[in-house]
Amino acid sequence: MQPRDLSDHVAYEAGRGIEEVARELDRDPSEFVKLASNENPHGPSPAATEAIRETASSVSSYPKAAHADLVAAIADRWAVEPAQVWLANGGDGAIDYLHRATLEPGESILVPTPGFAYYGMSARFHHGDVAEYPLSRDDDFAQDADRVLEAYDGERIVWLTSPHNPSGSTIPLSEIERLAEETADETLVVVDEAYGEFADRESAVALLEGRDGFDARDDVAVLRTFSKAYGLAGIRLGYAVVPEAWADAYTRVNTPFAASELACRAGLAAIDDDEHVDLTVETAREAREHMREAIDARVWPSEGNFVLADVGDATAVAEAMQRRGVIVRDCSSFGLPGCIRITCGTQSETELAVETLNAVLEELDLDGASAQREVPDT
Ligand SMILES: *Cc1c(COP(=O)(O)O)cnc(C)c1O
């Protein structure tokens, strides 16, 4: 027996974990901070932690009421119908559901490069193909309808990431509307807002609901997650908001009990904890500002809870930082070999990351190893 031909499939490369790195370097985990996976430096909402504890004794039952309660709370948050909320095992699970609901075998999706690897992986699981549109470092990864339309060739789904991972750039709603308008009726534009809470932009939910002066559309959907601003990455909880016209497809494509009892109860507690989200967003804003000012390398403006920095030899820099206790993301696997992505930490973690990176850059510059890096004028 052999699995099907998986030669086009690639493994997902997650940011490296503290335990993994500590074991490899034979050091104590407490010597490391991890700023590699855009996790919440403040941890989960305390209310969510409490809810998880309280739910522990009832996990012998399938999650039904909790699922309905959380969907109702999310629907309320966006002022949409509960059926429009496609709850899933992480935002990644919602990506799968959108592909399951739309892709016929051999149909394609269009994704940004550099970009989030899971769009393409998921499409291939669903016997789909993947085409790419480029975002360019030379114009700061700017996103607009024309750039996407230039590459567009009738794909079934166009993926936008706003804020974009790993650069932090965003796309205005008016450009998303124009893109949806100029693509075929049967093309769905999905706006991945995994980092939406950190950005100074309205959600694209306005486009499917016809708010803020936009006409309502049935060809735009939005992806959201509890992994980033809510600090619940380990619980695996995310969702899509889809147009009412075809929202009922969910019942035919979802894996039964898409989100666990623990996840639903944690999500219900977290969604009401504005204080925790506000603190998280404020910390990220200060951190990305500080990193842009203080890092001795080119750092792109970011609306997410991370920044992208051009450091020359990203693999050497990431390894040297890791030896000094700061784990960041080498962006080679995103198709950006010269860059690292640094997650916004707590104030002290961010300061440590900046000091460490600057020390490493200085050391490598003395060795001539990162001579190819673009050094900023200021
Ligand atoms: C983190 C992330 C997601 C979703 O992550 P989950 O943990 O599966 O919710 C989706 N898109 C992008 C661009 C991300 O960075």
Side-chain angles (χ1 to χ4, degrees):
M1 212 300 292
Q2 285 294 315
R4 68 176 163 116
D5 179 6
L6 296 173
S7 52
D8 276 350
H9 296 235
V10 287
Y12 183 79
E13 273 184 58
R16 308 196 66 206
I18 288 182
E19 297 289 337
E20 179 192 350
V21 171
R23 213 170 297 143
E24 186 183 297
L25 297 176
D26 198 20
R27 303 242 302 264
D28 194 86
S30 64
E31 295 170 37
F32 294 90
V33 298
K34 181 190 178 195
L35 300 174
S37 296
N38 300 342
E39 292 151 338
N40 191 322
H42 298 297
S45 144
T49 309
E50 186 53 34
I52 291 168
R53 234 183 243 121
E54 279 172 11
T55 307
S57 57
S58 52
V59 294
S60 47
S61 304
Y62 282 109
K64 217 168 162 214
H67 184 284
D69 290 351
L70 178 57
V71 164
I74 295 169
D76 195 48
R77 153 91 177 72
W78 294 107
V80 298
E81 291 300 317
Q84 292 176 262
V85 177
W86 289 17
L87 205 59
N89 186 270
D92 294 345
I95 293 171
D96 285 336
Y97 291 166
L98 288 166
H99 288 154
R100 276 188 211 174
T102 53
L103 290 181
E104 297 284 0
E107 285 185 335
S108 300
I109 64 165
L110 185 62
V111 303
T113 180
F116 189 59
Y118 194 66
Y119 309 140
M121 292 173 64
S122 168
R124 291 188 177 102
F125 299 156
H126 297 93
H127 305 272
D129 291 324
V130 184
E132 296 179 330
Y133 63 91
L135 297 179
S136 154
R137 51 190 286 158
D138 294 332
D139 49 20
D140 296 338
F141 305 96
Q143 303 191 60
D144 55 47
D146 287 336
R147 263 166 247 256
V148 182
L149 287 167
E150 215 164 284
Y152 172 72
D153 188 23
E155 284 81 5
R156 190 71 158 92
I157 295 189
V158 174
W159 282 94
L160 301 173
T161 318
S162 183
H164 174 250
N165 181 7
S167 74
S169 75
T170 58
I171 178 167
L173 293 193
S174 56
E175 288 296 302
I176 301 172
E177 181 186 49
R178 197 157 68 80
L179 178 61
E181 199 61 50
E182 294 190 19
T183 48
D185 287 349
E186 290 309 308
T187 293
L188 174 67
V189 176
V190 186
V191 189
D192 179 346
E193 297 179 353
Y195 302 97
E197 290 84 357
F198 299 101
D200 260 331
R201 286 216 185 268
E202 287 304 306
S203 168
V205 169
L207 291 176
L208 46 134
E209 291 302 293
R211 295 184 193 136
D212 301 343
F214 294 105
D215 292 331
R217 320 191 57 92
D218 67 1
D219 58 356
V220 174
V222 172
L223 190 86
R224 287 266 170 168
T225 178
F226 284 83
S227 293
K228 311 284 165 51
Y230 290 96
L232 294 175
I235 208 102
R236 312 304 303 128
L237 187 63
Y239 60 93
V241 182
V242 310
E244 208 175 349
W246 48 272
D248 62 350
Y250 180 68
T251 52
R252 279 167 285 148
V253 299
N254 84 322
T255 304
F257 306 105
S260 77
E261 180 79 12
L262 289 174
C264 292
R265 291 290 167 211
L268 269 165
I271 203 169
D272 281 335
D273 191 350
D274 291 334
E275 200 182 318
H276 185 258
V277 174
D278 291 348
L279 170 70
T280 300
V281 170
E282 191 48 41
T283 304
R285 292 214 165 122
E286 282 167 13
R288 66 197 189 206
E289 229 162 86
H290 176 59
M291 288 195 275
R292 251 170 74 73
E293 277 165 15
I295 288 174
D296 298 331
R298 180 168 179 202
V299 175
W300 279 273
S302 168
E303 297 265 324
N305 65 342
F306 54 86
V307 297
L308 184 71
D310 179 0
V311 296
D313 186 342
T315 305
V317 169
E319 271 173 19
M321 288 184 75
Q322 193 168 286
R323 280 195 301 275
R324 292 168 183 245
V326 180
I327 307 169
V328 297
R329 182 72 189 256
D330 172 358
C331 287
S332 305
S333 75
F334 281 96
L336 286 172
C339 298
I340 58 170
R341 191 193 63 197
I342 311 167
T343 301
C344 298
T346 59
Q347 194 182 341
S348 62
E349 286 170 345
T350 302
E351 281 167 7
L352 178 68
V354 169
E355 282 164 26
T356 306
L357 174 54
N358 286 347
V360 163
L361 288 172
E362 196 182 329
E363 195 179 278
L364 291 175
D365 279 349
L366 290 178
D367 293 347
S370 57
Q372 72 270 45
R373 120 187 130 87
E374 234 179 279
V375 179
D377 309 327
T378 48

